[in-house]
Amino acid sequence: MELTHRGFNVVIIVLSVIALAYIVLPLTTILTFLDPLNAFESLTQRQVWDAFVLSLFTATVSTSILCIIGIPFAYFLARYSNFRGKFILRVIVIIPLVLPPLASGALLLGMFGPTSIVVQTFPGIEFTQSVFGIIIAQTYVASPFMILASRAAFESVDRSYENVARVLGKTNLQTFFRVSLPLAKTGIIIGIIMSWVRAVGELGATMMMTYNPHTISIQIFEDNAIGGLTQAAPGIILVVTLPVLVMVIFYISKKNKNQGLLKFD
């Protein structure tokens, strides 16, 4: 029995090492394409940083939109279960996740393209080839990450806490903001982080909606097409560094908060 248990542990460790190596090795190889003599100059190219800053801005806007509309929708899916068609709604939510990004962009062009009803209704707004088009594409593609993570967070909250708040005289709105949101906060923050990082790295749908101005992903695509991985390396390094920094900050802040609670106790 002990031998079987040990063998199982060995298999799990070996498979975990393979999975980790599969993820890490491609990240390390990009350094080989960066010219060490011109590394600083490459990493400070203006067009790369302009595209990177634009991506950060539009991703922040699109994630803010998802917070406003996605979190309430996630709460609806988690709590209002007594209606027909709930399964259909859950399927619709994951469609942007399973669709190829280029297909998502094509669908968005059908809705916001030059001949669409939306453009005819609002003729003064440039929905494509503009910053607005980037935000539309990022919001659509990143929406499942926000909604699914938030729904799982709300479903993990014990309903009895909400019921007690209502018994004590709190309205549904007060219960949502004072009980449901705080208890589901960690899962929602994870959803916000995933949505934001996904929006920063969006390529396919953004290319269909707005090739110019360049986001960082389009800049990487163009640099690779013109000069190969050597020219695209600076943008790739920025994109790889961003989620690592975000997760480190999230981990440190969460750890410090937990330590603060222990000291308070």
Side-chain angles (χ1 to χ4, degrees):
M1 181 65 70
E2 182 179 353
L3 184 61
T4 303
H5 180 70
R6 185 178 301 173
F8 174 79
N9 290 340
V10 170
V11 171
I12 292 296
I13 292 173
V14 170
L15 294 178
S16 299
V17 170
I18 293 174
L20 183 62
Y22 183 74
I23 296 171
V24 172
L25 288 178
L27 299 177
T28 58
T29 56
I30 192 60
L31 296 175
T32 62
F33 295 100
L34 191 64
D35 185 0
L37 298 178
N38 301 313
F40 180 78
E41 181 181 353
S42 298
L43 290 172
T44 55
Q45 295 179 40
R46 181 173 179 179
Q47 67 269 25
V48 173
W49 277 97
D50 287 347
F52 187 59
V53 171
L54 176 63
S55 296
L56 296 182
F57 170 73
T58 54
T60 301
V61 174
S62 62
T63 305
S64 300
I65 294 172
L66 286 174
C67 287
I68 296 172
I69 64 176
I71 293 175
F73 185 35
Y75 183 79
F76 173 80
L77 292 175
R79 286 293 183 259
Y80 297 88
S81 57
N82 298 323
F83 67 93
R84 293 181 180 180
K86 182 176 181 179
F87 174 76
I88 296 176
L89 286 182
R90 294 196 171 192
V91 172
I92 291 174
V93 167
I94 68 171
I95 286 177
L97 186 64
V98 298
L99 275 180
L102 287 174
S104 296
L107 294 176
L108 291 174
L109 274 179
M111 183 174 179
F112 297 99
T115 60
S116 68
I117 297 177
V118 175
V119 172
Q120 293 174 6
T121 305
F122 303 98
I125 301 177
E126 294 184 5
F127 290 97
T128 60
Q129 304 306 318
S130 66
V131 173
F132 197 26
I134 297 173
I135 294 171
I136 292 172
Q138 290 177 341
T139 303
Y140 185 81
V141 173
S143 60
F145 295 90
M146 176 70 76
I147 297 171
L148 294 177
S150 299
R151 190 196 77 192
F154 284 126
E155 288 178 344
S156 67
V157 175
D158 192 337
R159 295 193 183 201
S160 62
Y161 294 110
E162 298 171 332
N163 294 334
V164 169
R166 296 186 184 100
V167 169
L168 293 175
K170 301 299 181 183
T171 64
N172 287 338
L173 184 63
Q174 290 173 324
T175 300
F176 176 75
F177 280 104
R178 297 185 181 182
V179 178
S180 305
L181 271 181
L183 292 176
K185 180 176 64 175
T186 299
I188 292 174
I189 291 175
I190 292 174
I192 291 173
I193 292 174
M194 290 193 301
S195 300
W196 186 72
V197 173
R198 179 64 184 88
V200 171
E202 165 53 29
L203 173 63
T206 307
M207 287 182 65
M208 297 291 285
M209 285 289 293
T210 306
Y211 192 85
N212 287 299
H214 284 6
T215 61
I216 187 62
S217 295
I218 293 178
Q219 187 66 46
I220 291 171
F221 173 81
E222 191 171 271
D223 286 343
N224 181 64
I226 296 173
L229 286 175
T230 300
Q231 187 165 333
I236 297 173
I237 292 174
L238 288 176
V239 173
V240 170
T241 304
L242 177 66
V244 174
L245 289 177
V246 170
M247 292 309 300
V248 168
I249 293 172
F250 174 72
Y251 174 78
I252 292 175
S253 62
K254 193 171 185 300
K255 184 178 180 180
N256 291 339
K257 182 180 178 180
N258 291 337
Q259 290 176 348
L261 289 175
L262 290 175
K263 290 180 181 179
F264 178 79
D265 292 339

